[in-house]
Amino acid sequence: PIPVDTPCKDVLDMFANAKERVKDLSNDLKTLVNQYDKNVYFVDAAPHVQLSPVDGIHFDEKAHENFALLMNETIRKIFNLS
């Protein structure tokens, strides 16, 4: 999960303490996914995608491209595609 980071007061109120709450979410989700069979996958986009500087909660064009490339790579690995 990508931490919310915005100076917008309305958004800050809506996502109060989001940075703190999301800290362990990635590890918690990985742990949950690992409890299931090997056909369930988790992809952490945070190291690959930055949120838009406009509002700090949405993807901009570059983030969508990076996320698409990440998912493409992940799916190719899962299905052994070259």
Side-chain angles (χ1 to χ4, degrees):
I2 305 165
V4 173
D5 186 17
T6 179
C8 179
K9 182 172 176 12
D10 292 336
V11 173
L12 285 175
D13 290 344
M14 187 183 334
F15 293 101
N17 303 316
K19 274 188 174 180
E20 292 77 23
R21 292 185 300 176
V22 78
K23 274 184 190 174
D24 296 325
L25 184 57
S26 178
N27 286 330
D28 292 345
L29 289 172
K30 284 179 195 175
T31 299
L32 179 65
V33 166
N34 288 335
Q35 293 176 7
Y36 294 93
D37 66 43
K38 296 195 183 288
N39 292 320
V40 179
Y41 302 91
F42 171 74
V43 178
D44 187 0
H48 307 277
V49 178
Q50 299 295 314
L51 295 176
S52 168
V54 174
D55 65 9
I57 59 172
H58 293 101
F59 286 5
D60 59 13
E61 184 177 345
K62 184 65 177 169
H64 277 284
E65 179 182 352
N66 289 344
F67 186 70
L69 292 170
L70 173 63
M71 294 309 299
N72 182 327
E73 178 183 330
T74 301
I75 290 167
R76 288 181 171 281
K77 284 180 184 176
I78 292 169
F79 292 103
N80 295 316
L81 304 172
S82 49

